[in-house]
Amino acid sequence: MASKSSTNPETSLAAKILARKRELNAVILAHNYQRAEVQDIADFVGDSLGLSQQAAKTKADPILFCGVDFMAETAAILCPGKTVLIPDENAGCPMANMMTVRELREKKAEYPDAVVVTYVNSSAAVKAESDICCTSANAVKVVESIPRDKRIIFTPDQSLGDYVASRTGRKLILWPGYCPTHHRILADDIAKAKAAYPGAKVVVHPECTSDVIALADHVASTSGILKYARESTVAEFIIGTEIGILHRLKKENPGKNFHPASRLADCPNMKLNTLEKMLWSLEDGAYRVTVPEDVRVRALKTIERMLAIA
Ligand code: CIZ
Ligand code: SF4
């Protein structure tokens, strides 16, 4: 009789991916929102900036980036000369797609003196057209670094911008973009979860709507949520972000309980990457994510200004 592992298609797929990875000297990076099995086979799991920094540090090449396109682009910006692959070419971010370079130029013409702060969830071309980048982990710090007399256009996430405005007391010119996945988490979901788990801490991502954020004990990026769960003496949490993060939260904190604020917060783009597509990607050298050099150089400056502050 065949052993259980040799008949398990996921196990053999994983074995093939690892063999191909070794053959190519590839590194596998997976975002905190990826499928559990994708996270489990990755060399590094993290947020978009942390993963791109890993990509820049490693000697491995190619980089198989399991996330959405702007994340793979950020890796390509930080690692010129390396091959960056994404398992599914359709894994995009609807929020990043809520703005174009042309629209941003129009907004800049309206406020010619303003500093443009752009969230990492944006295309390389939009980053190139911006003054400074931010992530959800450092957005408050980045905005605080800008002189108080300067006007700020904050793009593309209105919810994150609104949260940063409330934390810094700054008036920001907000782009009307948002994350459709995080906006599926409703204040009512938080209220119901709090009633069901009265001792739990509510931890939410700043991409959530302001009424959800108002009910939270802690607001943080994915790396911040993981840190909070690790360091908290509390053993029960209601998590208001994309549900892919629950896998890592449970894996790293076996004695603690995590409840999703809403099961609907499941990003279909993040979930396009599968083990099968990872293997095909390594076999075919597809899909390659590239950034034109003139755009890359300008987008890199925007990212470097952020890194100098945060
Ligand atoms: O920067 C990232 O990885 C995103 C999109 C979210 C987060 O909070 O880490
Ligand atoms: Fe974009 Fe939201 Fe999906 Fe992240 S979770 S990739 S912000 S749509």
Side-chain angles (χ1 to χ4, degrees):
M1 203 172 98
S3 76
K4 195 170 168 232
S5 66
S6 68
T7 55
N8 181 339
E10 277 204 356
T11 311
S12 56
L13 248 179
K16 282 184 189 162
I17 291 169
L18 292 175
R20 189 77 185 135
K21 184 188 83 164
R22 267 182 234 115
E23 223 172 274
L24 290 173
N25 186 34
V27 64
I28 301 177
L29 307 178
H31 191 265
N32 290 324
Y33 294 157
Q34 290 291 290
R35 293 171 184 272
E37 64 275 17
V38 172
Q39 293 189 32
D40 286 345
I41 203 169
D43 296 297
F44 300 101
V45 182
D47 63 13
S48 59
L49 180 65
L51 291 176
S52 291
Q53 288 173 317
Q54 283 292 348
K57 254 198 324 213
T58 172
K59 286 202 172 68
D61 182 11
I63 295 151
L64 182 60
F65 204 119
C66 303
V68 294
D69 56 7
F70 76 82
M71 300 179 173
E73 276 189 346
T74 305
I77 292 165
L78 290 175
C79 317
K82 284 188 189 169
T83 300
V84 180
L85 302 173
I86 190 164
D88 190 309
E89 63 177 341
N90 295 313
C93 169
M95 181 195 330
N97 294 338
M98 287 176 190
M99 70 185 296
T100 63
V101 169
R102 192 171 61 81
E103 289 167 330
L104 178 55
R105 286 195 182 138
E106 283 166 10
K107 188 58 93 185
K108 283 165 70 173
E110 227 181 296
Y111 302 98
D113 61 318
V115 175
V116 179
V117 178
T118 290
Y119 188 28
V120 68
N121 294 37
S122 53
S123 68
V126 163
K127 285 186 184 77
E129 198 65 34
S130 305
D131 295 303
I132 186 163
C133 193
C134 75
T135 71
S136 42
N138 59 35
V140 168
K141 244 187 176 166
V142 166
V143 165
E144 277 173 345
S145 76
I146 298 163
R148 284 220 150 240
D149 60 340
K150 280 277 182 196
R151 282 206 287 193
I152 297 173
I153 300 171
F154 190 94
T155 81
D157 189 2
Q158 188 165 27
S159 294
L160 176 63
D162 207 31
Y163 170 69
V164 172
S166 75
R167 283 281 311 273
T168 57
R170 297 285 288 264
K171 217 170 155 292
L172 306 177
I173 301 157
L174 299 178
W175 198 271
Y178 64 94
C179 166
T181 296
H182 282 84
H183 277 210
R184 292 212 171 174
I185 302 168
L186 305 179
D188 194 43
D189 296 324
I190 304 284
K192 282 185 183 138
K194 277 174 103 159
Y197 311 107
K201 289 282 183 203
V202 178
V203 193
V204 311
H205 196 277
E207 286 176 21
C208 291
T209 56
S210 57
D211 55 347
V212 166
I213 289 177
L215 297 174
D217 295 299
H218 190 61
V219 183
S221 66
T222 58
S223 48
I225 292 173
L226 287 156
K227 182 170 187 279
Y228 182 82
R230 210 162 38 234
E231 293 174 358
S232 174
T233 52
V234 174
E236 190 142 46
F237 303 85
I238 296 157
I239 302 296
T241 191
E242 208 284 339
I243 55 175
I245 201 175
L246 290 164
H247 177 64
R248 198 171 154 196
L249 281 167
K250 289 177 183 168
K251 199 168 161 181
E252 289 181 3
N253 304 280
K256 297 182 179 180
N257 292 317
F258 300 92
H259 310 284
S262 169
R263 290 248 160 233
L264 299 180
D266 188 0
C267 177
N269 296 283
M270 284 285 177
K271 303 299 151 56
L272 283 175
N273 299 319
T274 60
L275 290 181
E276 285 87 352
K277 291 178 196 169
M278 288 169 73
L279 177 61
W280 302 336
S281 188
L282 291 172
E283 285 176 343
D284 299 346
Y287 299 89
R288 194 159 176 193
V289 177
T290 56
V291 177
E293 187 58 14
D294 59 321
V295 174
R296 190 192 73 79
V297 169
R298 289 191 297 138
L300 179 63
K301 280 206 183 95
T302 306
I303 295 171
E304 282 174 343
R305 282 189 206 111
M306 163 184 78
L307 294 176
I309 286 151

